Amino acid sequence: MKLSSSDLKAFLDMNTNPTPVKRARQISRYFLTIAFMMIAGFACADKLSASESLRIGFHRPSFHEYSREDLEISVKILTEEMGREIGIQTTVFMYDDIKLMRADFEQGKINLVFSSPLLIANKFDNTLLTDGFKLVPSGGNIDTLVVLTRKNEGMDNFSSLRGKKLGLIENDPATDLYVNFLSRSSFHRDSQDIFKEIPREKKSHQAILKLFFGQVDVICVYENYYEITAELNPQIFAKTQIIAHISGILQSAGFFHKNVDPAFRERVIAEVIKLNTYARGRQFLEIFKTEKALRVSPVELAITRQLYSNYQRLSKTK
């Protein structure tokens, strides 16, 4: 709410020659009115965010391993249908713009955010976050990034990779950050100044296969995707190697707004953790190629935030 220009003019015209005391009272009433309106606005946002409905915001580009159709149709429809089945009113919103998603989260339009944890750590007010859950894919360590090269080709550490061809994944800021951190650590420059080419793939298994067939020299992916792809083709293990890794970089996670009623939040988390125990829940997990869901805390963003801080520090040195 805001005062119109006519309201302001009326206030200024109330008395052409008020006494000092009367004028002070008028000014006081005016600013008390403004303060009341501001508090009322914030209270509305708090009430909206705390109401007992689940309003999920998905940052679509962060889910690069999944098709747009899966996110827009399957995830939205199935999530809202499952919410009805368990008695939780659920609405799903899809976002391409992380700034708009943050604004809606702060204003209470959505009360659970799913995005790249790096974007959540750096683009959101972390004081507004509280516990949520993460989806756990099958395969190796889910929150470990690995840098892979081929064996026996003189690419046994990052400092040996100058002028090589680097393969990365589209819309995966965590892998970009880790590679740039390693580049800064070894060469004092970002990766685009070190590697000959940096082609990008839509999915991790595509980058792994390109490494295997010699179309790129080095890639960075989450370890669980490496494990799954190599299990289907064991020759990948024989031909490739991990030359660097970092653990504790969340792969995907959803965090609730702190204003969500704790009892409601705990109910939702409990229901999500049970998804792998019944058919419709497993159907939802299969869309994300995951086996189960686990509780996650904002504290688990600390290593991602520290990696970004370390990269920023190296970027300031020459």
Side-chain angles (χ1 to χ4, degrees):
M1 298 176 63
K2 66 178 183 178
L3 294 178
S4 67
S5 57
S6 59
D7 293 332
L8 180 58
K9 185 176 185 300
F11 164 75
L12 294 174
D13 292 342
M14 279 190 296
N15 261 312
T16 54
N17 295 299
T19 65
V21 172
K22 189 174 182 180
R23 184 171 179 79
R25 287 175 178 169
Q26 291 170 349
I27 293 172
S28 176
R29 284 197 299 270
Y30 177 66
F31 284 105
L32 281 172
T33 301
I34 293 175
F36 174 79
M37 290 177 175
M38 291 175 65
I39 291 170
F42 289 133
C44 288
D46 284 353
K47 184 177 180 181
L48 179 60
S49 198
S51 61
E52 289 194 0
S53 67
L54 183 58
R55 304 180 297 279
I56 309 172
F58 276 95
H59 182 237
R60 189 165 28 216
S62 293
F63 295 87
H64 51 83
E65 296 288 337
Y66 315 106
S67 71
R68 191 181 187 96
E69 291 74 19
D70 277 344
L71 289 174
E72 289 187 339
I73 300 174
S74 301
V75 171
K76 180 176 174 62
I77 292 174
L78 185 57
T79 301
E80 293 178 354
E81 181 181 320
M82 287 173 57
R84 288 192 295 271
E85 288 182 4
I86 61 178
I88 297 175
Q89 182 181 344
T90 304
T91 309
V92 175
F93 301 87
M94 295 291 173
Y95 293 85
D96 288 314
D97 185 343
I98 195 71
K99 292 180 181 178
L100 177 59
M101 185 175 173
R102 170 182 171 154
D104 284 353
F105 185 64
E106 291 177 349
Q107 294 167 12
K109 180 178 179 179
I110 55 176
N111 56 12
L112 175 66
V113 286
F114 258 95
S115 176
S116 159
L118 177 62
L119 294 179
I120 292 177
N122 290 334
K123 301 294 185 181
F124 283 71
D125 179 354
N126 283 206
T127 64
L128 299 179
L129 303 175
T130 190
D131 287 11
F133 51 87
K134 61 182 178 180
L135 301 177
V136 180
S138 56
N141 296 318
I142 60 170
D143 296 329
T144 297
L145 285 172
V146 293
V147 177
L148 305 172
T149 62
R150 288 183 299 280
K151 296 178 180 178
N152 306 316
E153 294 188 19
M155 297 183 292
D156 300 325
N157 51 63
F158 204 88
S159 59
S160 66
L161 300 178
R162 183 188 289 272
K164 300 297 183 180
K165 195 172 182 180
L166 168 67
L168 290 176
I169 312 302
E170 293 180 1
N171 296 311
D172 193 343
T175 56
D176 284 15
L177 174 62
Y178 185 43
V179 167
N180 279 326
F181 167 74
L182 293 173
S183 294
R184 283 281 172 182
S185 299
S186 297
F187 305 108
H188 308 292
R189 293 179 179 274
D190 281 348
S191 57
Q192 66 264 25
D193 298 322
I194 300 304
F195 292 93
K196 178 174 62 178
E197 293 180 52
I198 309 182
R200 292 184 179 268
E201 305 301 326
K202 291 186 180 296
K203 298 186 177 183
S204 297
H205 77 271
Q206 295 169 336
I208 294 167
L209 292 175
K210 283 201 168 186
L211 174 67
F212 178 76
F213 289 112
Q215 296 172 300
V216 295
D217 301 307
V218 54
I219 63 171
C220 181
V221 296
Y222 277 95
E223 186 178 20
N224 59 291
Y225 290 119
Y226 175 48
E227 295 280 346
I228 293 170
T229 306
E231 284 175 4
L232 297 174
N233 184 354
Q235 292 181 351
I236 291 175
F237 280 135
K239 193 173 181 179
T240 61
Q241 62 185 348
I242 297 173
I243 65 166
H245 75 279
I246 183 171
S247 298
I249 306 297
L250 288 179
Q251 188 167 334
S252 65
F255 294 95
F256 278 99
H257 195 289
K258 69 174 185 178
N259 288 340
V260 171
D261 178 70
F264 177 72
R265 182 186 70 232
E266 292 304 313
R267 181 188 172 198
V268 173
I269 293 174
E271 291 291 345
V272 171
I273 290 174
K274 294 191 300 185
L275 284 174
N276 64 334
T277 65
Y278 58 96
R280 183 56 62 89
R282 287 191 294 271
Q283 183 182 356
F284 176 86
L285 292 173
E286 285 171 5
I287 294 175
F288 288 98
K289 302 177 179 64
T290 54
E291 292 183 338
K292 59 183 177 180
L294 296 176
R295 188 185 195 94
V296 67
S297 165
V299 174
E300 295 180 55
L301 292 169
I303 297 178
T304 300
R305 198 178 294 113
Q306 186 61 53
L307 176 61
Y308 182 77
S309 177
N310 291 343
Y311 165 70
Q312 292 287 86
R313 175 178 50 80
L314 290 174
S315 297
K316 295 176 182 178
T317 62
K318 296 183 178 179

